[in-house]
Amino acid sequence: WTRRKSGQESPQMLANAAVPDETRHIRHYVGAFTDISHLKEHEAELERIAHYDTLTGLPNRRLLADRMTQELARTRRRGHLLAICYLDLDGFKAVNDQLGHEAGDQLLVEIGQRLKNALRTGDTVARLGGDEFVLLLCDLTQEQECLPVLERVLGAVAVPLTLQNRQVTVSASIGVTLFPRDDTDSDQLLRHADQAMYQAKEAGKNRFHRFEAEP
């Protein structure tokens, strides 16, 4: 990294060559610098596209899988609990049908930001696609710790917003499973949370439901 005359730092590629004399002893070196800022910017953009949702800027399914792998191992090591929460918006399809996809996209961006703001430091919110999100509530010492976070999430989603000069209100149905009480792999944990989410919808929406394994 070098500093330009403006004071701005920039990445450089250095090609360095040794120059010998007649006796083959190294007399000096010649270096050629090439500014590779554009390459680094392109790498960063590819990294962002690979791991983050292009609409909301939230982690995508790929980055969620990586974080789940890390959190499952850390949770087991520390003897804590990890809440895997599958969230689906209630009423999103009506917004898309009545106001169009552009309004639907605006809604998703706003909801994504609200979810981020409602979570604690160290938690994760990811968008799987459509109006489906996953929350990872980390480092829980007891099950009850996730309840105020989920209540806060429900309240944040339900706050009305204005789209195309119309007030719109949606809500969320959330399915929750707790690892390692639900001691399985990440794919199965997501399926269990998804099942619990559908039970939350059937129970009236705008609520959360915890997954319970069948006896």
Side-chain angles (χ1 to χ4, degrees), residues 173-186:
S173 294
I174 308 174
V176 184
T177 192
L178 291 167
F179 175 86
R181 293 180 182 173
D182 185 5
D183 196 355
T184 186
D185 59 41
S186 56

Side-chain angles (χ1 to χ4, degrees), residues 25-123:
H25 288 92
I26 302 298
R27 296 297 302 270
H28 56 272
Y29 294 87
V30 175
F33 289 89
T34 304
D35 190 325
I36 56 170
S37 298
H38 64 292
L39 293 177
K40 290 297 184 181
E41 291 169 0
H42 184 59
E43 287 176 3
E45 179 63 12
L46 291 177
E47 179 74 9
R48 188 188 67 79
I49 292 173
H51 293 94
Y52 290 89
D53 176 54
T54 54
L55 177 64
T56 63
L58 297 176
N60 61 15
R61 187 183 294 270
R62 180 177 178 181
L63 183 53
L64 173 66
D66 290 342
R67 290 194 180 176
M68 281 192 70
T69 299
Q70 296 172 12
E71 290 299 336
L72 291 176
R74 189 167 68 132
T75 298
R76 192 182 295 279
R77 185 170 62 249
R78 294 187 175 184
H80 290 176
L81 294 170
L82 172 67
I84 300 93
C85 313
Y86 203 110
L87 183 152
D88 185 87
L89 296 180
D90 309 316
F92 175 73
K93 184 176 184 301
V95 173
N96 255 351
D97 292 345
Q98 296 172 16
L99 301 181
H101 292 291
E102 184 177 346
D105 286 348
Q106 293 174 10
L107 173 62
L108 292 172
V109 171
E110 173 64 23
I111 293 299
Q113 188 59 50
R114 292 182 185 184
L115 293 176
K116 283 179 62 176
N117 294 339
L119 297 188
R120 308 162 306 162
T121 302
D123 293 339

